[in-house]
Amino acid sequence: MRIVHVFFILAVAWLAASAFGTPGDTLKSIALPSGYTLGLAWDGHYLWSSDRRTDMLYKFDPADGHVLDSIPAPGYFVTGLTFDGKLLWCADADTPAKLYAVNPNTRLVEHTMDSPIDQPAGLAWDGTYLWMADPGGGKIHQVDPSDGTTILSLTAPTKNPGGMTYDGRYLWVTDRYRDEIYMVTKDKGDVIITFNSPGQYPSGLAWDGTNLWSADYQTDRCYRLVIDDGITFSQKDKRSEQIEFVHQVRNFGPDSIVTLQVYVAIPHDLNNQKLLAEPTFEPKPAEILTDKWGQQVARFEFKNIPVSSQSSVTMRVPAELYKVRYFVYPEKVGKLEDIPADIRSKYLVDDIKFSYNSPIIQKAVKEAVGDEKNPYWIARKVYNYCIEHLEYQLSGGWNTAPTVLERGNGSCSEYTFVYIAMCRAAGLPARYVGSVVHRGDDACWDDVYHRWVEVYLPKYGWIPVDPSGGDGPIPQGRAAYFGQLDNRFVITTIGGGGSEYMDWTYNGNEKWVSKGKCRVVVEQFAEWTPLATKK
């Protein structure tokens, strides 16, 4: 019944996405006035574009692309364009780089000044200041329009920022090499939303008060894009695989194992994965159990295992996997008190690996979160804090969150413990998921695995957050692990802490009773085989 229910939810979400589109989808496409467009702007009624080759500025109708006016550009290499309510601002990358303010009615250049950067790209107007994309420095700059003074410099979403615009709350920035568009905060430069650009060279952006427009240098078209149509996630890039999870226990003696219990976590349908058949097991499990977190496990029992023998369990799962991208708008997230009581009671409890009453965790939460009340920003600030205070190191062993944070490094599981501890201490429910991982080749194997976090955001539900995966300096890279999931994971395990069957492990676990001296070696691995080549 549970699988049917999950399938129904996924089907509804897919139909909704098909009917209304997801963020980044094209609502309308029109031809640009020329073939070499770099800048794009909105003047309150019409779109303007700058042409690199003809050195002209074109005014055109967003309804059909009809050119209404054209005026000479004030420079010879206009790369960015924006409108401040009266004047069209042009960023010119010719040497020396300049900023020009053109009156589109009189066609006069009313203001000229040196650009604060040598390679200006996109321009945006936030109501008071200009914003400039700096691909040479990998920055975005807030600039005083009176004299070009740089007020604030932020790390750009990527090293190649291009087109820019401002929607009244967020900056939007393109990357022509990644073919992506980013929604960015203008205080810290955090990337909140990411989606693929409609063309392969997004060169200019404009905001018309309701819609985002993207000019593309390669297709010579201008696209009106979906920003928020109520769809909370997208599924793309399907991968079809057969996964074999193998759990082996070897007894090297010299005495015998009296009883051995093996537990294997059973995956099910989720937004990132669809099981094509029920998992099969070899041998047949003794029983199927459900732990206190709701995780199903298959239990296998072996008795009297002599020296130099092996006990093996295999789970086979055929599945379709997807790249999942969640579209979470912070201002639309509910309040902490909106979180259901059963979620709060279950996923705010402390546990030995979390130890969130430790002074180390309490101090970290105070520094990271402060008086923040928005659940999204609590999750994001804890995420940034973990990235800034931890370094990835796979050293074996899973220490408690206070120990890991004080030490300053940890594995993916240890990052997870710290993140959950801090979120729960701040009043935000969090849990972990564990997976087997596709390791690059079509057919491959994995014995390292991966664990990350899910946080509960009211009005959105459980959202993936991977603090170890996102530990890097570039905002785009950080955003790629907050609310996004690649198609190389099969999630087997969902847990909130220690389990009566899985303990603190994921994928598989074992418990045994031995007689005398036994050296027991456990091996676990996952084999991946593309279904297209499966015989």
Side-chain angles (χ1 to χ4, degrees):
M1 187 67 185
R2 181 182 182 185
I3 293 176
V4 172
H5 179 65
V6 171
F7 177 79
F8 176 76
I9 292 173
L10 293 176
V12 169
W14 182 86
L15 288 172
S18 300
F20 301 107
T22 57
D25 286 352
T26 299
L27 293 171
K28 184 176 187 177
S29 169
I30 58 175
L32 285 163
S34 59
Y36 308 94
T37 299
L38 289 179
L40 192 68
W42 173 260
D43 70 3
H45 300 283
Y46 301 102
L47 289 164
W48 286 81
S49 65
S50 62
D51 186 274
R52 179 191 65 80
R53 187 162 177 174
T54 63
D55 298 325
M56 298 291 291
L57 306 179
Y58 296 98
K59 177 182 178 181
F60 60 101
D61 192 332
D64 55 13
H66 178 67
V67 176
L68 304 171
D69 197 5
S70 60
I71 60 178
Y76 295 98
F77 192 4
V78 175
T79 54
L81 203 61
T82 192
F83 186 70
D84 70 4
K86 177 186 175 183
L87 303 174
L88 273 173
W89 286 85
C90 304
D92 191 89
D94 202 6
T95 305
K98 296 285 186 181
L99 288 173
Y100 302 100
V102 181
N103 188 317
N105 296 317
T106 64
R107 306 188 178 207
L108 298 177
V109 179
E110 296 190 4
H111 191 37
T112 301
M113 59 186 178
D114 290 335
S115 168
I117 56 177
D118 294 332
Q119 301 177 41
L123 274 182
W125 173 255
D126 71 5
T128 304
Y129 299 107
L130 290 167
W131 286 84
M132 303 181 65
D134 178 9
K139 300 283 187 179
I140 53 176
H141 305 281
Q142 188 184 50
V143 176
D144 188 332
S146 64
D147 59 8
T149 299
T150 299
I151 299 167
L152 178 66
S153 294
L154 302 174
T155 301
T158 67
K159 294 181 179 180
N160 300 287
M164 289 188 69
T165 192
Y166 180 66
D167 68 5
R169 187 189 297 267
Y170 299 103
L171 294 165
W172 293 83
V173 186
T174 69
D175 183 305
R176 59 175 280 200
Y177 297 109
R178 297 188 64 88
D179 302 327
E180 290 182 331
I181 299 174
Y182 312 100
M183 188 178 85
V184 180
T185 64
K186 66 173 188 172
D187 59 343
K188 301 292 186 181
D190 287 326
V191 174
I192 307 300
I193 299 291
T194 301
F195 52 71
N196 295 333
S197 62
Q200 293 184 328
Y201 189 161
S203 56
L205 290 177
W207 177 259
D208 68 6
T210 303
N211 300 294
L212 186 69
W213 290 84
S214 175
D216 193 84
Y217 192 89
Q218 181 162 316
T219 63
D220 297 330
R221 299 194 70 80
C222 194
Y223 304 89
R224 183 162 64 97
L225 306 178
V226 175
I227 298 304
D228 182 11
D229 220 1
I231 303 302
T232 58
F233 70 92
S234 66
Q235 297 172 320
K236 294 184 178 179
D237 298 341
K238 182 177 71 174
R239 179 198 298 275
S240 299
E241 294 275 349
Q242 166 111 332
I243 301 93
E244 289 189 354
F245 176 74
V246 179
H247 185 290
Q248 296 176 339
V249 177
R250 290 184 174 89
N251 177 21
F252 288 92
D255 295 310
S256 62
I257 296 175
V258 178
T259 59
L260 168 67
Q261 310 289 329
V262 173
Y263 301 94
V264 175
I266 302 175
H268 60 271
D269 288 350
L270 297 167
N271 290 341
N272 71 299
Q273 62 194 40
K274 176 185 176 183
L275 273 57
L276 300 177
E278 291 288 330
T280 59
F281 302 94
E282 185 181 333
K284 183 179 179 181
E287 59 182 331
I288 303 297
L289 303 168
T290 302
D291 74 6
K292 64 182 180 180
W293 304 110
Q295 173 65 50
Q296 282 192 320
V297 296
R299 184 183 72 85
F300 302 83
E301 184 172 354
F302 301 89
K303 294 182 178 180
N304 300 318
I305 304 173
V307 65
S308 300
S309 64
Q310 170 185 294
S311 298
S312 183
V313 167
T314 300
M315 175 177 67
R316 295 181 177 87
V317 182
E320 291 178 350
L321 308 177
Y322 301 88
K323 289 184 178 180
V324 176
R325 181 175 285 168
Y326 291 83
F327 306 104
V328 180
Y329 297 84
E331 61 278 6
K332 291 192 173 184
V333 173
K335 301 177 181 179
L336 287 174
E337 50 266 34
D338 296 331
I339 298 172
D342 61 329
I343 297 292
R344 293 200 304 270
S345 64
K346 193 172 184 178
Y347 295 106
L348 287 180
V349 298
D350 202 0
D351 209 332
I352 188 169
K353 294 292 187 184
F354 308 139
S355 300
Y356 64 57
N357 287 316
S358 160
I360 295 171
I361 298 298
Q362 292 294 318
K363 180 176 179 289
V365 172
K366 185 176 180 180
E367 292 175 355
V369 178
D371 59 359
E372 181 62 64
K373 301 299 182 185
N374 183 299
Y376 176 89
W377 285 115
I378 291 173
R380 194 62 185 263
K381 288 180 177 181
V382 171
Y383 181 70
N384 290 342
Y385 189 91
C386 288
I387 289 172
E388 291 160 5
H389 290 79
L390 293 175
E391 180 179 352
Y392 183 81
Q393 182 174 320
L394 185 61
S395 57
W398 293 333
N399 282 302
T400 64
T403 300
V404 174
L405 191 55
E406 187 174 40
R407 189 178 67 208
N409 60 61
S411 65
C412 65
S413 288
E414 291 174 317
Y415 270 74
T416 295
F417 298 155
V418 172
Y419 190 87
I420 291 176
M422 291 183 66
C423 283
R424 290 190 181 184
L428 181 65
R431 66 189 187 186
Y432 63 77
V433 297
S435 71
V436 296
V437 185
H438 189 274
R439 296 294 178 182
D441 297 293
D442 288 343
C444 60
W445 59 278
D446 173 39
D447 63 353
V448 179
Y449 313 133
H450 192 48
R451 172 158 34 191
W452 62 92
V453 183
E454 291 183 339
V455 295
Y456 190 90
L457 300 182
K459 299 186 179 179
Y460 285 90
W462 292 103
I463 303 297
V465 179
D466 186 351
S468 66
D471 193 351
I474 305 300
Q476 178 275 334
R478 292 187 177 189
Y481 290 89
F482 192 102
Q484 297 189 48
L485 202 59
D486 206 354
N487 63 352
R488 59 193 187 97
F489 304 107
V490 170
I491 295 172
T492 66
T493 314
I494 299 176
S499 162
E500 61 267 45
Y501 308 122
M502 299 299 294
D503 296 323
W504 285 89
T505 66
Y506 56 98
N507 297 334
N509 192 30
E510 65 289 325
K511 301 176 183 181
W512 69 86
V513 174
S514 60
K515 179 180 180 180
K517 297 179 177 66
C518 286
R519 186 168 74 89
V520 178
V521 175
V522 178
E523 184 179 11
Q524 300 182 45
F525 55 89
E527 293 279 0
W528 293 73
T529 305
L531 284 178
T533 61
K534 188 72 177 174
K535 295 182 180 179

